[in-house]
Amino acid sequence: MLTFLRREVKYKISAEQFDVLRKEFAPHLTPDKYYFEKIHNIYYDNIYDEIIRKSMERPVFKEKLRLRTYENDGKIFDEVFVEMKNKFDGTVFKRRIKIPLADGRRLLQGESPAQILGEGQIAQEIMHFIRKTQCAPKIYISYDRYSYSGENEFRVTFDTNVVSRLVHLDFGSHADDVPQLLQGEYLIEAKSYFAFPLWFTNALTKYKIYPESFSKYGRIYERNLAAEAANPLREVSYV
C-alpha cells in the first residue's frame, strides 16, 4: 500500500528542447534506478465515458482509476499497481495497491476486485469508486518515460511515443497499438510536495517553456471523437 501527495505540473517540448534541457538539468538531477522505462496503463471508465468527460471539463476535483505496470529492457515487471488518483486544485493525491501481474490480468478478465484487492482502506475506496461509477477497463495507453530525481523529493519525467488501443486490454505491446501523441515531442512532468527549485523554473523561463494542461487519455479521447465525426461509419469500440 503506497500513498503520494504532491503537486504535478506539465510542459510540452520539442525533441530539440529535450536534448537542451537534459544538459541544463544534469547538475541538479540524478537518473532513477530505472532511468528509461515503458509504462503500460489501463484506464477505467463506464460505457458513457463519464470519467474522462468530467476530467476534461477541468473541475476543481477529479479522480480516476487505472492499472499500471512497467517494462525495462524488454521485460514487463511481475507486479501491477492498482491506482486511485485524485486531483484537487492542482494537488495530486495518489493511493495504490501493488499486486502480482497474474492478479492484474485476472482483474482485466473480469474477476471480482474484492477477491483480489483484499479488505484494506485503499481497496475499499477502489471498490466504492467502481460501484459508484460502474466503470470497467476501457483503454490501454503506453509511453516511453525518462525519469530523474533531485533534492527534497523533486522529480522530473519526460514522456514520449504515446500509443493506445481500445481492444485487447492487457499489458504489453500489441499489433493493434495506434500511435497517438508526442511522436517527436516530449511531455515534462515536474512533481514535488514542495516549491519547484529555482534552477528548474529559471531553465524553463530561459527557453520560453510554459505550463500546459495535458491529459494523455483526454487527448486520445478527443482524437477518437474527431475520427468518429469525420467517418460516422467507422466502428470504434470502447469496450
Side-chain angles (χ1 to χ4, degrees):
M1 182 177 70
L2 300 169
T3 301
F4 302 90
L5 175 64
R6 63 194 182 194
R7 186 165 65 99
E8 297 182 357
V9 181
K10 300 176 182 179
Y11 313 80
K12 193 166 70 170
I13 61 173
S14 66
E16 292 77 14
Q17 289 172 318
F18 170 65
D19 291 332
V20 169
L21 286 177
R22 284 205 296 179
K23 294 177 183 177
E24 289 267 356
F25 295 167
H28 310 282
L29 295 175
T30 302
D32 282 356
K33 177 183 177 181
Y34 297 108
Y35 157 68
F36 174 77
E37 298 174 304
K38 184 176 289 293
I39 298 182
H40 302 275
N41 304 281
I42 295 174
Y43 287 87
Y44 279 60
D45 212 328
N46 59 31
I47 61 173
Y48 305 107
D49 302 314
E50 289 179 321
I51 296 173
I52 186 58
R53 288 194 290 110
K54 180 179 179 181
S55 176
M56 292 170 62
E57 293 170 357
R58 299 183 185 178
V60 174
F61 174 79
K62 58 184 178 181
E63 54 190 346
K64 62 185 176 184
L65 174 63
R66 71 186 174 202
L67 306 184
R68 167 173 286 189
T69 191
Y70 302 83
E71 177 183 334
N72 183 262
D73 289 334
K75 182 180 179 182
I76 295 179
F77 287 16
D78 59 3
E79 58 194 20
V80 171
F81 293 96
V82 185
E83 299 184 343
M84 278 293 305
K85 188 174 182 180
N86 298 345
K87 188 172 184 179
F88 178 75
D89 198 23
T91 298
V92 172
F93 186 55
K94 182 166 67 175
R95 285 97 63 224
R96 65 188 193 182
I97 299 172
K98 183 168 65 175
I99 61 175
L101 177 61
D103 286 345
R105 290 193 162 120
R106 287 170 57 200
L107 287 176
L108 295 175
Q109 292 165 2
E111 293 196 31
S112 169
Q115 300 295 321
I116 297 171
L117 302 182
E119 299 180 352
Q121 179 180 345
I122 296 177
Q124 293 305 308
E125 291 179 18
I126 291 171
M127 291 300 303
H128 174 73
F129 181 79
I130 291 173
R131 288 192 297 267
K132 178 180 69 173
T133 62
Q134 295 295 297
C135 65
K138 193 63 175 284
I139 185 171
Y140 165 88
I141 300 174
S142 77
Y143 42 88
D144 298 335
R145 169 165 286 182
Y146 300 83
S147 303
Y148 298 84
S149 298
E151 293 183 349
N152 296 323
E153 300 184 13
F154 179 63
R155 296 194 70 241
V156 177
T157 59
F158 298 87
D159 296 343
T160 191
N161 298 329
V162 180
V163 303
S164 73
R165 63 177 181 264
L166 296 167
V167 294
H168 301 117
L169 297 183
D170 197 353
F171 304 108
S173 302
H174 195 276
D176 293 318
D177 288 352
V178 178
Q180 289 282 358
L181 307 168
L182 303 174
Q183 308 301 312
E185 297 178 302
Y186 292 80
L187 183 70
I188 301 176
E189 292 191 28
K191 311 169 187 185
S192 179
Y193 177 76
F194 305 99
F196 292 168
L198 191 59
W199 59 261
F200 177 77
T201 55
N202 284 345
L204 296 183
T205 301
K206 176 181 176 180
Y207 294 104
K208 297 181 172 57
I209 298 169
Y210 304 107
E212 179 174 343
S213 177
F214 192 100
S215 163
K216 300 180 185 74
Y217 185 6
R219 296 293 177 91
I220 292 170
Y221 179 72
E222 288 178 331
R223 286 194 175 189
N224 287 336
L225 287 181
E228 290 181 63
N231 184 4
L233 299 180
R234 173 176 173 263
E235 292 186 4
V236 177
S237 171
Y238 289 91
V239 179

